[in-house]
Amino acid sequence: MIEDKLAILIKKSIANAQNKNEFNDFVIPEVQIDRPHLTEHGDFATNIALQLKSKTEKDAMENAEIITSNILDNEVIENINIVLPGFININVKQSWIVEQIKLINNKEFGNHDLGLDQSVQIEYVSSNPTGPIHIGNGRGASIGATLAKVLKKCGYQTEEEFYINDTGNQVKLFGETLFARYSALHDVKIPIPENGYLGEYMIDLANKIKNEYHDSYLDEEKNTELTELGLSIMIEQIQDELSSIGVEYTNWFYESMLHEKKTLELVIRMLDEKQFISHKDNAVWFLSTKLGDDKDNVLIRSDGTPTYFAADIAYHFNKFSERKFDRVINIWGADHQGHISRLKKAMKALNINEDRLDVLLYQLITLKRGNTIVPLSKRSGDIISLNEVFTETGKDAMRFFFLSQSANQSMDFDLELAKKQTKDNPVYYVQYAHARIHAILDKASHENYSISYGNLDLIKENEEISLIKKLIEYPSLIKKVATELAPHHLPHYSIELAQLFHVFYTKCRVIDESNKKLTEARLALLDACRIVLRDTLELIGVTAPEQM
């Protein structure tokens, strides 16, 4: 990355100043290189001179003068400006910028070794299998799937997991509701349980089972089998719906496995041995207040059933201690915020470094048609499903729109905008840029022009340089997404890149019969743009069409 090159040059200049006794001896800190918001402040900037004030006992402006005077001759830096209160603004040589086109020649551009082959598990969606996944789950799915791709690009060994809650009271209510609906189809009236599932999808599920198995499950003794069958159908439906938007998992983990392997019993025994368990009111409590939590938490209820929290502790013990993941990232809806602290306290009690667990929360979605809000729940008790929105807008718009806002911000999803095939629709605008680039390259090939890196010095126009500068931001962007767990930067980057391409294409003639060398240099630039644009779209989960 260019930032790394500049940081090394600055660190060497500080070391040079120390060798010349212009600075006293101290451990040189990491040099942070940033991109200024305003172009008049240069291509890059650093505040290192301000950071060194306490070490050098000089003011920041003097530090900056000493640093810049000790920078060795190099192929990267064109000039440096020092501005109050001590910022060092850097402009990069245009000749160096255009040469970077040579590096953008395959999908490996933007790769990092941040992960050093650490194993990371990303768990996301994990909705109850007692109903269809809804549009909010789709946002979590898009964040998780894209983040997994970015982390793989950064050298992490990444696994994606869906946690299936296939035990507990919700599953019991699901089974009882299904039995009531199934029985009604055979003219046997059984009341739907209190707090049962009232959505029409339960009638559809009962009909599906009746059509295939007839009256095989009318006997109440077969209720467990009917429940398991209903859950398996719902899980298959969830898998199909997520697959339809390009989300595939490494593993589907069932909560029941924790009970079968007695992981939950093991965890409670370990917590007890470490004196984090209390028995009161005929229940088993985790003494999380001993670790600074504001209240203790029930693990086993007075009726002997484990709480959701108990199962979650066991599940995360399984992740860290049994399956040996180096790091775990959970992507949850914002309503789980209160669960994070106590889960981290439980990990700490089990001698698992709580910093190995990251939880990314995402906010709610407001569904709209233009300016009109679409209610997410229906009169029937159903919630608008992911599949309904997919059927209307398609995969690409969903994946792009779901990532378009930071996870910690609520977002509006405009169904009408998502369907538009105009530049107003950002995903269409970006895809069109990719298709146009492909068409130009295809036309050039048919006219016997080829991509050439031999005359990149002919690339000099402002629109060309601006486009290359955006392209070479890509590795920094990937690192930012990985370190901040912030995939929303990808759609914004793709829009900015598409805009710069369209400006370039408007101002600069690519295929120029009178100047073959310039044509082939610009084709090299366009191919680099195609590679980065395609890779960005693939990370987002959107197709990169060759024609539109």
Side-chain angles (χ1 to χ4, degrees):
M1 294 194 313
I2 175 63
E3 290 90 342
D4 294 338
K5 288 181 181 292
L6 294 173
I8 290 169
L9 287 170
I10 296 292
K11 290 186 81 168
K12 284 182 177 178
S13 75
I14 296 170
N16 290 339
Q18 288 177 323
N19 292 334
K20 291 156 61 176
N21 294 320
E22 294 178 16
F23 282 153
N24 54 305
D25 287 333
F26 52 82
V27 177
I28 301 172
E30 289 301 311
V31 178
Q32 180 69 37
I33 304 292
D34 299 306
R35 294 175 186 269
H37 293 297
L38 299 176
T39 55
E40 55 263 34
H41 291 167
D43 296 320
F44 298 93
T46 180
N47 66 350
I48 187 65
L50 293 159
Q51 285 182 256
L52 295 183
K53 284 172 63 177
S54 62
K55 297 180 183 294
T56 65
E57 297 182 353
K58 302 176 188 294
D59 66 53
M61 292 296 285
E62 186 177 357
N63 285 339
E65 291 286 355
I66 293 171
I67 291 169
T68 56
S69 67
N70 279 280
I71 292 176
L72 300 174
D73 288 341
N74 61 86
E75 62 177 359
V76 180
I77 297 176
E78 177 72 32
N79 57 61
I80 290 177
N81 294 309
I82 300 169
V83 296
L84 288 170
F87 289 105
I88 299 172
N89 294 341
I90 303 168
N91 284 302
V92 177
K93 290 179 180 178
Q94 187 168 299
S95 58
W96 184 89
I97 290 171
V98 297
E99 284 295 310
Q100 301 315 295
I101 294 173
K102 295 177 181 178
L103 303 179
I104 311 173
N105 55 15
N106 58 49
K107 285 188 67 171
E108 293 183 2
F109 181 70
N111 287 10
H112 291 275
D113 59 0
L114 286 174
L116 299 173
D117 284 332
Q118 289 184 74
S119 59
V120 177
Q121 188 224 53
I122 305 180
E123 181 223 326
Y124 56 96
V125 182
S126 298
S127 59
N128 281 329
T130 52
I133 51 176
H134 55 74
I135 186 173
N137 300 136
R139 187 178 193 190
S142 297
I143 293 169
T146 292
L147 200 52
K149 289 179 182 178
V150 171
L151 291 175
K152 286 176 187 174
K153 195 171 177 67
C154 289
Y156 291 91
Q157 298 297 319
T158 306
E159 289 193 16
E160 298 162 74
E161 186 156 291
F162 189 113
Y163 178 58
I164 301 170
N165 301 106
D166 63 330
T167 66
N169 190 54
Q170 293 301 313
V171 170
K172 180 174 177 290
L173 287 171
F174 170 83
E176 290 172 356
T177 304
L178 178 57
F179 182 67
R181 294 298 196 189
Y182 177 74
S183 298
L185 296 175
H186 293 88
D187 298 322
V188 178
K189 190 170 183 180
I190 293 178
I192 293 174
E194 187 179 356
N195 298 321
Y197 293 90
L198 303 178
E200 288 184 4
Y201 73 90
M202 291 299 292
I203 299 173
D204 296 337
L205 178 60
N207 263 309
K208 182 179 179 67
I209 293 172
K210 179 195 172 190
N211 291 338
E212 188 167 349
Y213 297 96
H214 310 294
D215 61 356
S216 300
Y217 295 100
L218 272 180
D219 188 338
E220 197 165 353
E221 291 183 358
K222 291 190 174 183
N223 194 277
T224 299
E225 292 177 42
L226 178 65
T227 301
E228 290 175 352
L229 175 60
L231 284 176
S232 69
I233 293 170
M234 292 304 303
I235 292 166
E236 185 177 350
Q237 180 180 321
I238 289 170
Q239 290 173 331
D240 289 344
E241 290 185 7
L242 288 170
S243 181
S244 71
I245 64 165
V247 175
E248 304 285 350
Y249 289 88
T250 315
N251 190 37
W252 294 72
F253 189 96
Y254 289 77
E255 181 185 343
S256 55
M257 294 168 64
L258 299 172
H259 301 281
E260 291 168 10
K261 294 181 178 180
K262 302 195 180 300
T263 306
L264 182 56
E265 293 177 23
L266 172 62
V267 164
I268 291 176
R269 188 165 64 250
M270 290 176 66
L271 289 172
D272 196 15
E273 289 170 357
K274 296 174 186 297
Q275 300 184 332
F276 284 106
I277 291 294
S278 172
H279 298 265
K280 57 184 177 182
D281 302 327
N282 294 320
V284 178
W285 295 71
F286 169 50
L287 299 178
S288 48
T289 50
K290 293 178 72 173
L291 293 169
D293 215 358
D294 57 354
K295 64 177 182 178
D296 295 328
N297 291 274
V298 176
L299 298 181
I300 306 295
R301 301 181 185 91
S302 57
D303 63 1
T305 59
T307 60
Y308 172 82
F309 179 46
D312 217 24
I313 296 174
Y315 178 42
H316 284 78
F317 177 83
N318 167 270
K319 294 182 183 189
F320 287 115
S321 298
E322 295 181 345
R323 288 190 279 164
K324 307 293 185 183
F325 287 108
D326 296 314
R327 184 182 177 194
V328 168
I329 300 170
N330 295 336
I331 298 172
W332 293 344
D335 56 334
H336 285 74
Q337 183 167 6
H339 187 56
I340 299 172
S341 175
R342 61 178 184 168
L343 180 59
K344 288 201 168 207
K345 295 288 190 297
M347 294 302 100
K348 187 175 182 179
L350 292 167
N351 291 330
I352 296 167
N353 185 345
E354 60 186 292
D355 292 336
R356 291 165 62 193
L357 172 63
D358 290 299
V359 180
L360 179 60
L361 298 176
Y362 61 90
Q363 297 294 329
L364 298 174
I365 290 176
T366 299
L367 198 61
K368 290 186 171 182
R369 289 191 187 281
N371 295 322
T372 304
I373 293 176
V374 179
L376 293 180
S377 57
K378 306 173 186 175
R379 229 176 251 179
S380 62
D382 289 306
I383 293 175
I384 290 182
S385 71
L386 183 71
N387 193 52
E388 289 176 84
V389 179
F390 164 75
T391 301
E392 187 166 347
T393 67
K395 172 182 77 74
D396 289 345
M398 288 182 73
R399 291 293 297 269
F400 197 96
F401 278 44
F402 282 144
L403 282 187
S404 62
Q405 296 288 332
S406 171
N408 61 15
Q409 294 180 328
S410 57
M411 68 165 292
D412 294 341
F413 190 109
D414 186 344
L415 291 165
E416 295 305 316
L417 178 60
K419 292 186 291 184
K420 282 185 178 180
Q421 295 194 358
T422 68
K423 65 180 182 180
D424 296 330
N425 180 348
V427 65
Y428 180 88
Y429 180 75
V430 175
Q431 287 179 314
Y432 182 71
H434 182 272
R436 174 172 272 186
I437 291 170
H438 191 276
I440 297 167
L441 293 172
D442 192 49
K443 182 176 186 292
S445 176
H446 281 93
E447 295 180 10
N448 296 317
Y449 291 101
S450 59
I451 292 167
S452 173
Y453 302 105
N455 295 285
L456 294 179
D457 58 313
L458 297 176
I459 292 179
K460 297 176 180 179
E461 299 296 332
N462 290 336
E463 294 78 15
E464 295 170 308
I465 301 303
S466 295
L467 182 55
I468 301 169
K469 284 181 178 180
K470 180 56 66 173
L471 290 172
I472 62 178
E473 278 184 32
Y474 190 57
S476 304
L477 173 83
I478 295 299
K479 184 178 180 180
K480 183 182 181 73
V481 171
T483 54
E484 297 180 5
L485 304 182
H488 69 280
H489 293 300
L490 289 165
H492 294 291
Y493 174 82
S494 70
I495 293 169
E496 291 167 4
L497 184 58
Q499 288 170 338
L500 287 169
F501 159 72
H502 287 303
V503 171
F504 157 79
Y505 183 70
T506 302
K507 298 287 182 70
C508 301
R509 186 177 181 183
V510 178
I511 300 176
D512 185 350
E513 296 84 352
S514 65
N515 195 336
K516 183 178 181 182
K517 289 180 179 179
L518 178 59
T519 295
E520 294 187 339
R522 283 178 171 169
L523 290 174
L525 170 55
L526 277 193
D527 194 49
C529 189
R530 177 190 63 81
I531 288 168
V532 173
L533 207 50
R534 180 193 63 198
D535 200 47
T536 308
L537 288 172
E538 286 179 358
L539 291 175
I540 295 170
V542 171
T543 55
E546 295 183 355
Q547 56 185 16
M548 291 178 72

